[in-house]
Structure formats: structure tokens, C-alpha cells
Amino acid sequence: MQVAFRVDASIEIGTGHVMRCLTLASALREQGAVCVFVCRPLQGHLIYLIAQRGFEVKQLPEAVSPLVKQLPTQPKYASWLEVDWQTDAQHTNDLLQGQVFDWLVLDHYALDIHWQQAVAACYHRLFVIDDLADREHDCDVLLDQNLGRTPADYQALVPKKAQLLIGPHYALLRPEFAQYREGSLNRRLLKPSLQQILVTLGGVDKNNMTEKILACLNTCQFSEEIQMKVVMGASAPYLSQVKQQAQNMRFKTEVLVGVDNMAQLMSESDLAIGAAGSTSWERCCLGLPTFMFVLAENQLAIAKALNQKGIATLVDLNTLTGEINNLLTVGQTQSKLIQMIEAASQVTQGQGAAFVLKFFSAVHA
């Protein structure tokens, strides 16, 4: 089975789209599929990481004059592409040189039905990964792994023949999250405590929220035993500032860059402070209580759904100090943490990639 992935990472886009595609590609490769990535080298790209994972990367030409004008007929995030969709489609067709893939996996907010039809000669079936339900797709399968989403949200946006895979049940998590799940939940429920805090605002954090959050945490009345670990991507533009802030913290604070053991770090942490993006499902799988921030408009629906069900607490910088300090009383800590642990653990068991893989295999057979 030959599978192509059209996905990008950048300072604007973030890293989550590439990371979940890598999860799916790795699962497909284990079943004998040959996976190829098609990416544009935008600022903050992850082409080097994809290649490190052993996948071929076909690079689209670098955007010479980035697209800045947004037209009403374009997808809301069309500017993320940094070229118009016609140019991207032409570049993709040229790059693939007539090769026809069994599947094309598309994970890109900037591309819709027009691009998909323009490159249709390159694939037999189209698998779209989306979170927005805001544009049409001419696909065979659509995956939206977000809590609160329903098939009805896509009924007018995809062909009737399209298979819809909806909800965190299908969340594309790396296998290690399922492997750490039982031990993580047992540790938390046996003795809920607040000793290690994990701060992770995504691989990029283009607005430097991490430094602001650390400064806020530095005012909290923690015990001396509290430890903090901060995870950032190598391409994060404010990495040096965050490292400097970490050195000025009153509590032991370690900054980790480009980690490959996130499941272990999450399982060892008692509270996460993070963004309401795709890492939400990783935290849920491990039952990790979370204070979350909305860093982009497309995260708002996820954040509201998680907050409404008591799975994570939606906060802003103005209330973060108060929220943390409220947890420091032992009784409040245990009751609040247990509530969040149990609610989060019900969202997903971390088997989404396996469920999706079975669908690929069944259709291909």
C-alpha cells in the first residue's frame, strides 16, 4: 500500500498536524505500507524530524512571496499555505510526477475540495484529518478526533459515501500512551498529590505564553518539594527567554527541548498546564489533570467541551495563580485531582491509531 501525506508545520501552523500524521504513518508502516510526506519548507517546519523518523519527504518549493490577502471564497486559514491553493496543487502534481498513491492523507486547514479535486489524479482514495468542520471535502474518509463533534457537523461538507470517524475514540496517539495508561492511572488514584507540574504550550508557542505562565507560577505559594518541567520544540522562537525565566524560578524548573518521551513525562506529572490542542487527548489517555489555555481560535471548541465535562479547567493568566493556590490545600487537592483524573481517563484509551489502521487495512483489502 502506497500512502502520501500532505501536511505542514510552521510557526503559524504549529507542530500538531505533522505529529499526528507521523503517528498514523508509523502505524501504517508497521503493516507494510510505504509512506511519503509532501511538505513545504515554511519557517518552523519539521521536515528534518519526518526524515529522522525514516520517511521520505518530498519538498514543495519554498514560498517566495507569501500569500497575505484573504479572499472570501478561500478557507479561513488559507494564508497558512503561503501560496494560493492553485499553486500548491500544481507544485504537488509536479512533485509527484504522475505517481498514483492508494491513499492521500490530507491534514491542512488551508486546503479544501478545490485543491483535493485538482490533485485527484495522484490518489485512489482521500483521507482527510480535520478539526474545524468549516469547508467542503471530496473525501472517502474524514477523521475529526475532537470531543463534542458529531457526524451531523460534516453531513453537508462531505460526499454521502464518505466514512466519518468522529470523536476522541479515534485520537491518533503514539503507542506509548496506551502502554503508560494503566500505570499512570493507578499511581494517580492511589495517592493524588501535587508535586510535579508539566508546562507544555505546544512545540512552537509563537506568543511566548510559556514565559508568562512561569512568571505567574513563580508567585504561587508552592512547597519546596514542587518541581516543574517545561517542554518546548526546537523551533520555538522564544526558547532562550523561557530558559532564562526557568533559571529565575523559586522552584526547581527544567526546560526540555524536542523530547521523545512525552508519555513518560505526562505519566510522572501530577498536573499539566497546556494548550487545548491535540495534546489534550494524550493527557486524557493518561488521566493527567490539566489547566488549559486557548492559544488559537481553533482550540476554543475543544477547550469549552473539556471544561464543561470537568475533564480540564479552562483558565487565563488572570486567574491561574488563584486556581493553583486553590489546589494547595490537601483536601481540595485530592478531591479536585481525583475528579479530573477520572473524567479525563474516560475520554480515550489511546487506541485510536489502531482503530484507524484497521479501517485502512479493511478498505485496501
Side-chain angles (χ1 to χ4, degrees):
M1 180 165 47
Q2 305 280 328
V3 183
F5 287 78
R6 176 68 187 96
V7 61
D8 286 326
S10 73
I11 298 296
E12 192 70 32
I13 296 171
T15 62
H17 300 274
V18 166
M19 297 308 295
R20 64 187 179 187
C21 283
L22 278 172
T23 296
L24 180 55
S26 297
L28 286 165
R29 182 170 59 184
E30 289 183 2
Q31 299 298 314
V34 176
C35 298
V36 174
F37 281 73
V38 178
C39 305
R40 194 174 298 278
L42 307 172
Q43 183 182 6
H45 67 79
L46 290 179
I47 291 173
Y48 66 94
L49 177 63
I50 300 170
Q52 286 177 0
R53 299 286 176 89
F55 295 102
E56 179 185 358
V57 184
K58 294 181 179 293
Q59 291 194 43
L60 297 164
E62 186 174 352
V64 178
S65 54
L67 176 68
V68 293
K69 186 177 181 180
Q70 181 74 41
L71 301 177
T73 56
Q74 294 176 329
K76 184 174 182 178
Y77 296 95
S79 62
W80 286 8
L81 206 59
E82 296 197 8
V83 297
D84 57 63
W85 71 263
Q86 295 95 331
T87 299
D88 194 274
Q90 185 61 55
H91 286 167
T92 301
N93 284 322
D94 293 343
L95 194 64
L96 297 181
Q97 297 180 337
Q99 186 174 359
V100 182
F101 290 85
D102 296 298
W103 287 92
L104 172 64
V105 178
L106 175 64
D107 189 346
H108 212 304
Y109 292 169
L111 299 174
D112 63 6
I113 188 172
H114 300 98
W115 183 93
Q116 294 158 13
Q117 292 175 344
V119 301
C122 297
Y123 60 85
H124 292 300
R125 296 184 179 91
L126 177 64
F127 190 110
V128 170
I129 303 176
D130 192 25
D131 305 292
L132 306 178
D134 69 343
R135 62 204 189 282
E136 287 187 87
H137 302 284
D138 189 12
C139 60
D140 298 277
V141 186
L142 185 139
L143 165 63
D144 186 324
Q145 61 188 24
N146 294 302
L147 187 69
R149 186 69 71 197
T150 68
D153 295 326
Y154 284 99
Q155 284 184 353
L157 301 176
V158 300
K160 291 183 178 180
K161 66 179 177 65
Q163 176 76 33
L164 297 176
L165 310 180
I166 305 296
H169 177 73
Y170 296 104
L172 296 172
L173 306 186
R174 298 188 301 280
E176 55 262 34
F177 286 94
Q179 295 166 6
Y180 273 91
R181 175 178 165 83
E182 182 177 0
S184 179
L185 294 178
N186 288 340
R187 181 186 72 80
R188 298 181 195 291
L189 294 173
L190 181 64
K191 188 179 179 181
S193 62
L194 186 58
Q195 296 180 330
Q196 182 161 300
I197 297 176
L198 180 67
V199 180
T200 171
L201 278 296
V204 175
D205 187 17
K206 66 174 184 175
N207 295 320
N208 198 21
M209 286 291 293
T210 303
E211 183 181 2
K212 297 180 179 68
I213 287 170
L214 289 181
C216 186
L217 292 173
N218 210 26
T219 68
C220 293
Q221 303 302 311
F222 290 129
S223 66
E224 294 182 358
E225 290 76 20
I226 286 286
Q227 297 184 10
M228 299 182 196
K229 292 190 176 182
V230 181
V231 175
M232 304 189 75
S235 61
Y238 295 99
L239 180 57
S240 60
Q241 288 94 320
V242 170
K243 288 182 176 180
Q244 182 62 46
Q245 176 65 41
Q247 293 177 3
N248 297 329
M249 298 292 287
R250 295 188 295 115
F251 318 101
K252 182 178 179 181
T253 304
E254 183 179 7
V255 179
L256 306 173
V257 181
V259 303
D260 58 6
N261 64 332
M262 183 62 86
Q264 178 183 351
L265 290 171
M266 286 186 175
S267 70
E268 294 172 349
S269 300
D270 302 307
L271 178 73
I273 298 177
S278 58
T279 54
S280 297
W281 319 124
E282 298 173 352
R283 298 189 295 256
C284 285
C285 178
L286 300 176
L288 177 57
T290 301
F291 286 169
M292 62 184 172
F293 292 82
V294 173
L295 301 185
E297 183 182 354
N298 56 66
Q299 296 177 353
L300 184 58
I302 299 174
K304 287 183 176 180
L306 290 169
N307 186 72
Q308 184 178 13
K309 293 182 178 295
I311 297 165
T313 301
L314 178 60
V315 298
D316 59 36
L317 282 178
N318 295 325
T319 59
L320 177 61
T321 302
E323 294 281 0
I324 291 287
N325 283 326
N326 285 342
L327 287 178
L328 296 179
T329 303
V330 174
Q332 287 180 313
T333 298
Q334 291 191 346
S335 61
K336 178 68 172 179
L337 291 179
I338 289 175
Q339 174 189 349
M340 297 175 76
I341 291 165
E342 292 179 340
S345 66
Q346 299 301 312
V347 174
T348 179
Q349 297 182 355
Q351 301 290 342
F355 298 140
V356 174
L357 182 62
K358 289 179 181 178
F359 176 82
F360 268 88
S361 302
V363 171
H364 186 68

